[in-house]
Amino acid sequence: MTFPFARISELGRHAGQTVTVRGWVTHLRSSGKVAFVVMRDGSGQLQGVVVKNAVAPETWETFGQLTHEASLAVTGEVRADARAPGGYELGISAITLVGASPLDYPIQPKEHGVDFLLDRRHFWLRSPRQVAILRIRHEVEQAIHDFFYERDFVRADTPILTAAIGERAGLFSTEYFDEGTAYLAQTGQLYGEALAASLGRIYTFGPTFRAEKSKTRRHLTEFWMIEPEMAWYDQTDNMDLQEEFVRFLVQRVLERRQDELKVLERDTSKLACVMEPFVRLDYGDAVKLCQSKGSDIQWGEDLGAPDEALIVAEYERPVFVMNYPKEAKAFYMKENPADPRTVLCADLLAPEGRGEIIGGSQREDDHDKLLHRLREEGLPEEAYDWYLDLRRYGTFVHSGFGLGLERTVAWIAGVEHIREVIPFPRLMDRLRP
Ligand code: 4AD
Ligand code: MG
């Protein structure tokens, strides 16, 4: 006889019926007369019970062959049981061992070092903690699309192979036929600006690459960035949108991912601060604040991670640091009319010492000023010809920002190191698996 297949998360619909569930063994226990198997299928966890006297001898024998992480199909009656994980238990009548798993399965129920686990990332991803993290990441991704869709932003994809360098970070390059060197995109922004003149409000959602030689808990060499770009938005409009956006993402995870947050033991009370207005702090005041707390940062320098931590500790909620000195930031940011030493930009610092999760700015819309900045930075003018065209033909006030997906997910989920919030992290010393 065959029975319908069911995923563990759907068992509620099959109470009292006999179904077949397929998945992997996470836990085994036997008293000699009654045996239990806990299994997972990606949608949830299920406990199955086998009673020796109630099943065929082959079924009892097959149970004896099960091992940790073996794949299997079990058939049985779905019974409501308030004590069981997920609220249901399976009274097993038949077991098929699909794929054996030798006893040397590398990840054992004990502490492993992080390098050991990263080398076995393909297995580590099966653990409840990793599953919870990836489900939260997925929720954030979906929330991002929902946020922009509801506001009539168009998602527009930008190239990964480029000739125009966007940021000051390290570059990955490759030979590109007769065209010379191609770079892996550090940002989609410059193309996003062209698209904003076409569609008005757009966002990109894609991988970006930076040859970062920093081994920190917030740097990856390949990470995902969301870059909205809006025609007719100035610096204030831009920050208002970011605030609404970040609040939306946090609320969505709190609404829909409580189970996963519990697995991660996230203290969600710490996220309540996003409901208050975010702090908007001028760069000059930020420097003074850091100095008063013992930092030796000088006006003109970019804020380091320790300075960011000092600033956020002061307010315990998200902080925009605005209007940095020109020399600390990228060439495309608009000169601040109120203080031409600075540019109209803002970095958003997340609470709990997480540092910058968004970098954004109003863009330089004056052709000559932009050209001057390109030259100052020693960037190859010919690669930016098309970008300058946007200022030659119908220039427009516009602004945008880039949200780092992994840093945002790590903060919301309360995960210390961003290598855990991307399925297969790429770090300076890690290209496999
Ligand atoms: O501040 P960044 O460099 O800004 C840009 O790339 C702009 N083009 C964005 C824009 O205005 N459209 O990077 C934006 C965000 C950072 O705030 C951070 O969250 C993330 O990208 N980020 C990284 N995340 C992980 N690993 C790295 N190496 C990162 N570098 C930046
Ligand atoms: Mg930045």
Side-chain angles (χ1 to χ4, degrees), residues 106-158:
I107 299 185
Q108 297 293 329
K110 62 166 194 178
E111 287 283 310
H112 291 292
V114 78
D115 279 319
F116 179 93
L117 291 169
L118 281 171
D119 286 342
R120 293 155 189 82
R121 184 66 173 161
H122 50 300
F123 290 140
W124 191 19
L125 290 170
R126 301 179 181 192
S127 76
R129 174 180 163 86
Q130 301 305 316
V131 167
I133 292 171
L134 293 184
R135 283 188 177 275
I136 291 175
R137 177 184 171 110
H138 163 65
E139 191 66 54
V140 172
E141 292 186 352
Q142 186 61 45
I144 290 166
H145 293 304
D146 291 347
F147 179 87
F148 288 117
Y149 193 85
E150 285 165 13
R151 286 159 183 77
D152 198 29
F153 281 58
V154 177
R155 176 179 176 176
D157 303 317
T158 51

Side-chain angles (χ1 to χ4, degrees), residues 167 187 189 210 212 220 225 227 356-358 363 402 404:
E167 301 295 329
T187 170
Q189 177 197 319
R210 297 190 185 181
E212 307 270 15
L220 296 165
M225 189 157 47
E227 296 186 272
E356 178 197 326
I357 56 167
I358 293 182
R363 316 308 189 189

Side-chain angles (χ1 to χ4, degrees), residues 349-365:
L349 311 183
E352 300 174 68
R354 308 310 300 231
E356 178 197 326
I357 56 167
I358 293 182
S361 61
Q362 188 170 330
R363 316 308 189 189
E364 185 56 80
D365 46 33

Side-chain angles (χ1 to χ4, degrees), residues 126-241:
R126 301 179 181 192
S127 76
R129 174 180 163 86
Q130 301 305 316
V131 167
I133 292 171
L134 293 184
R135 283 188 177 275
I136 291 175
R137 177 184 171 110
H138 163 65
E139 191 66 54
V140 172
E141 292 186 352
Q142 186 61 45
I144 290 166
H145 293 304
D146 291 347
F147 179 87
F148 288 117
Y149 193 85
E150 285 165 13
R151 286 159 183 77
D152 198 29
F153 281 58
V154 177
R155 176 179 176 176
D157 303 317
T158 51
I160 288 175
L161 290 166
T162 70
I165 305 163
E167 301 295 329
R168 282 182 175 168
L171 282 167
F172 288 112
S173 57
T174 181
E175 285 315 303
Y176 197 81
F177 306 106
D178 296 331
E179 293 288 307
T181 305
Y183 303 106
L184 294 186
Q186 299 169 315
T187 170
Q189 177 197 319
L190 307 189
Y191 299 97
E193 290 182 51
L195 288 158
S198 154
L199 293 155
R201 294 176 192 178
I202 64 99
Y203 71 105
T204 70
F205 194 126
T208 44
F209 306 86
R210 297 190 185 181
E212 307 270 15
K213 288 201 174 136
S214 31
K215 289 192 185 176
T216 77
R217 60 194 177 93
R218 47 201 241 207
H219 286 93
L220 296 165
T221 54
E222 178 179 303
F223 63 97
W224 289 67
M225 189 157 47
I226 293 81
E227 296 186 272
E229 192 69 35
M230 297 76 68
W232 315 115
Y233 269 50
D234 67 11
Q235 156 96 323
T236 306
D237 300 327
N238 194 21
M239 287 191 291
D240 290 346
L241 181 71

Side-chain angles (χ1 to χ4, degrees), residues 55-121:
V55 296
E58 311 87 79
T59 301
W60 186 256
E61 203 176 297
T62 308
F63 180 91
Q65 293 164 4
L66 297 180
T67 53
H68 190 42
E69 288 303 324
S71 51
L72 78 172
V74 294
T75 300
E77 193 195 340
V78 180
R79 303 192 290 235
D81 182 340
R83 291 160 308 170
Y88 294 91
E89 191 178 71
L90 203 69
I92 295 178
S93 47
I95 306 177
T96 307
L97 174 57
V98 177
S101 172
L103 290 170
D104 61 357
Y105 182 74
I107 299 185
Q108 297 293 329
K110 62 166 194 178
E111 287 283 310
H112 291 292
V114 78
D115 279 319
F116 179 93
L117 291 169
L118 281 171
D119 286 342
R120 293 155 189 82
R121 184 66 173 161

